[in-house]
DNA sequence: TCCTATGTTGTATG
DNA sequence: ACATACAACATAGG
């Protein structure tokens, strides 16, 4: 599920736990989620730590637990985060994590949301957990080395041009899905960007003129910003004027020209576009 | 039974 | 070394 805006939405789900201390860590030890760090190491490291805060960058998230300890999370295809307050009846003892709840951190009542648990669930287990111990208070190197965010000042024309020119035979939509160039863009955002640009997803970088390249930079940023506006706070629904609500199944119509939308596979990914607007 | 799914990675080939 | 293309990962739902 999660692209940039959905990742930001889920990151905020854990905010009520900020300031809380981890009183119990539960894991599903054999989950693929823990392929980078064994579940036992995660349990050992996070126990009795204070949850200080978090950041998102594209589809990556990092959670600070003080003393140079950082928990990295990627939601893969089906990951979700939630904060579950302990309500009266159930108490803090709780039951075992449910089938797809791979990491559960029980917190004491010091956080803004009171006592409760931080939950990471991911049925398909394409998600990933990492753990870093740093000597200073800075986040780990892999985090600092992430490519410039699309809304950051480092996302320049020059950078965009260089990236486009590097892959002259790769379809534009496939380029948009490359996290080195467009961190946070996923399948629906890539279709939305091509549609707003007015360029068919199969077109390649050499087919874009100067004007289209500049428009691409504007459109990529616009889609990121408005997706965050609509989704990050409360998972709102994008309006009918976007391609988004029309692209999910056959028979949808272009909200700009009314023509029936085309759907197909591009490099293994479902792709939706308008022959009229993106010929 | 077969198809789909908002993602990434390893591997083979040029 | 780099660019390109695809299978594989694991699960649920239509």
């Amino acid at each position: 599920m999660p692209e940039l805006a959905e990742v930001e939405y889920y990151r905020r789900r854990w905010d009520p736990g900020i300031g809380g201390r981890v009183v119990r860590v539960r894991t599903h030890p054999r989950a693929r989620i823990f392929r980078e760090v064994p579940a036992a190491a995660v349990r050992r490291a996070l126990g009795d730590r204070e949850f200080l805060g978090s950041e998102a960058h594209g589809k990556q998230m990092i959670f600070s637990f003080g003393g140079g300890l950082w928990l990295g999370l990627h939601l893969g295809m089906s990951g979700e985060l939630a904060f579950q307050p302990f309500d009266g009846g159930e108490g803090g003892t709780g039951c075992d994590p449910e089938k797809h709840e791979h990491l559960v951190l029980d917190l004491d009542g010091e956080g803004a949301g009171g006592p409760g648990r931080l939950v990471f669930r991911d049925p398909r287990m394409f998600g990933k957990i990492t753990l870093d111990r740093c000597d200073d208070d800075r986040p780990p190197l892999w985090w600092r080395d992430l490519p410039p965010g699309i809304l950051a000042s480092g996302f320049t024309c020059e950078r965009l041009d260089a990236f486009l020119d590097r892959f002259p035979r790769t379809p534009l939509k496939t380029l948009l899905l490359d996290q080195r160039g467009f961190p946070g863009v996923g399948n629906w955002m890539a279709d939305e960007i091509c549609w707003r640009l007015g360029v068919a997803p199969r077109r390649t970088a050499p087919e874009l003129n100067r004007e289209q390249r500049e428009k691409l930079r504007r459109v990529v940023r616009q889609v990121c910003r408005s997706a965050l506006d609509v989704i990050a706070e409360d998972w709102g629904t994008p309006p009918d004027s976007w391609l988004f609500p029309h692209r999910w199944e056959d028979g949808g119509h272009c909200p700009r020209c009314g023509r029936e939308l085309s759907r197909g596979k591009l490099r293994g990914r479902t792709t939706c576009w308008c022959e009229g607007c993106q010929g």
Side-chain angles (χ1 to χ4, degrees), chain A residues 39 59 78 272:
Chain A
K59 298 175 191 172
S78 59
C272 179

Side-chain angles (χ1 to χ4, degrees), chain A residues 92-172:
Chain A
T93 57
C95 42
D96 286 338
E98 290 173 36
K99 189 174 175 188
H100 300 303
E101 294 180 350
H102 303 303
L103 177 66
V104 179
L105 306 179
D106 290 4
L107 301 179
D108 68 13
E110 297 305 307
R117 60 174 68 107
L118 305 175
V119 179
F120 174 33
R121 64 184 303 275
D122 180 10
R124 291 178 70 182
M125 293 196 285
F126 292 165
K128 194 170 72 171
I129 286 176
T130 62
L131 209 54
D132 289 273
R133 284 173 194 284
C134 303
D135 293 330
D136 51 25
D137 282 342
R138 309 163 73 198
L141 193 60
W142 67 265
W143 179 265
R144 303 191 322 245
D145 281 349
L146 290 171
I150 289 168
L151 297 176
S153 59
F155 192 79
T156 59
C157 283
E158 294 72 28
R159 202 192 140 77
L160 178 57
D161 272 334
F163 190 77
L164 292 177
D165 291 336
R166 226 175 103 187
F167 310 101
R169 303 177 61 101
T170 300
L172 175 61

Side-chain angles (χ1 to χ4, degrees), chain A residues 164-181:
Chain A
L164 292 177
D165 291 336
R166 226 175 103 187
F167 310 101
R169 303 177 61 101
T170 300
L172 175 61
K173 177 183 176 178
T174 307
L175 285 184
L176 286 164
L177 291 173
D178 191 324
Q179 300 300 292
R180 297 169 296 182

Side-chain angles (χ1 to χ4, degrees), chain A residues 9-276:
Chain A
Y9 170 84
Y10 282 125
R11 183 191 67 80
R12 296 183 191 186
R13 298 308 94 192
W14 275 16
D15 280 355
I18 292 174
R21 186 161 293 274
V22 179
V23 294
R24 181 162 63 155
V25 184
R26 283 171 292 168
T27 59
H28 274 266
R30 284 175 310 287
R32 175 184 149 91
I33 299 295
F34 297 105
R35 59 199 179 282
E36 303 277 324
V37 199
V42 173
R43 289 199 302 275
R44 212 176 315 121
L46 291 177
D48 207 35
R49 294 281 189 156
E50 183 184 355
F51 172 37
L52 296 179
S54 62
E55 285 182 74
H57 184 107
K59 298 175 191 172
Q60 310 275 349
M61 289 177 289
I62 198 160
F63 296 81
S64 169
F65 284 86
L69 185 71
W70 300 83
L71 176 72
L73 293 185
H74 193 291
L75 297 173
M77 195 79 109
S78 59
E80 301 172 359
L81 302 184
F83 177 79
Q84 299 171 351
F86 295 141
D87 32 58
E90 189 185 1
T93 57
C95 42
D96 286 338
E98 290 173 36
K99 189 174 175 188
H100 300 303
E101 294 180 350
H102 303 303
L103 177 66
V104 179
L105 306 179
D106 290 4
L107 301 179
D108 68 13
E110 297 305 307
R117 60 174 68 107
L118 305 175
V119 179
F120 174 33
R121 64 184 303 275
D122 180 10
R124 291 178 70 182
M125 293 196 285
F126 292 165
K128 194 170 72 171
I129 286 176
T130 62
L131 209 54
D132 289 273
R133 284 173 194 284
C134 303
D135 293 330
D136 51 25
D137 282 342
R138 309 163 73 198
L141 193 60
W142 67 265
W143 179 265
R144 303 191 322 245
D145 281 349
L146 290 171
I150 289 168
L151 297 176
S153 59
F155 192 79
T156 59
C157 283
E158 294 72 28
R159 202 192 140 77
L160 178 57
D161 272 334
F163 190 77
L164 292 177
D165 291 336
R166 226 175 103 187
F167 310 101
R169 303 177 61 101
T170 300
L172 175 61
K173 177 183 176 178
T174 307
L175 285 184
L176 286 164
L177 291 173
D178 191 324
Q179 300 300 292
R180 297 169 296 182
F182 304 94
V185 172
N187 204 36
W188 79 254
M189 291 179 80
D191 281 355
E192 186 79 33
I193 290 162
C194 292
W195 178 74
R196 294 194 196 187
L197 182 64
V199 170
R202 285 182 193 280
R203 296 278 79 82
T204 55
E207 299 175 277
L208 297 180
N209 60 34
R210 169 53 35 198
E211 192 184 345
Q212 288 171 315
R213 283 174 175 233
E214 279 165 17
K215 184 173 179 184
L216 173 62
R217 181 157 167 276
R218 290 198 305 273
V219 166
V220 168
R221 289 188 139 158
Q222 177 194 63
V223 169
C224 287
R225 208 173 289 115
S226 39
L228 286 167
D229 286 345
V230 171
I231 292 166
E233 186 71 28
D234 58 357
W235 203 285
T237 309
D240 282 348
S241 57
W242 295 22
L243 177 66
F244 179 93
H246 310 279
R247 69 175 291 283
W248 301 106
E249 45 196 56
D250 290 341
H253 291 264
C254 174
R256 191 185 291 128
C257 74
R259 179 173 180 156
E260 183 163 350
L261 292 163
S262 305
R263 301 178 83 239
K265 289 277 187 192
L266 181 54
R267 295 288 200 273
R269 311 294 253 110
T270 296
T271 299
C272 179
W273 72 99
C274 174
E275 293 286 359

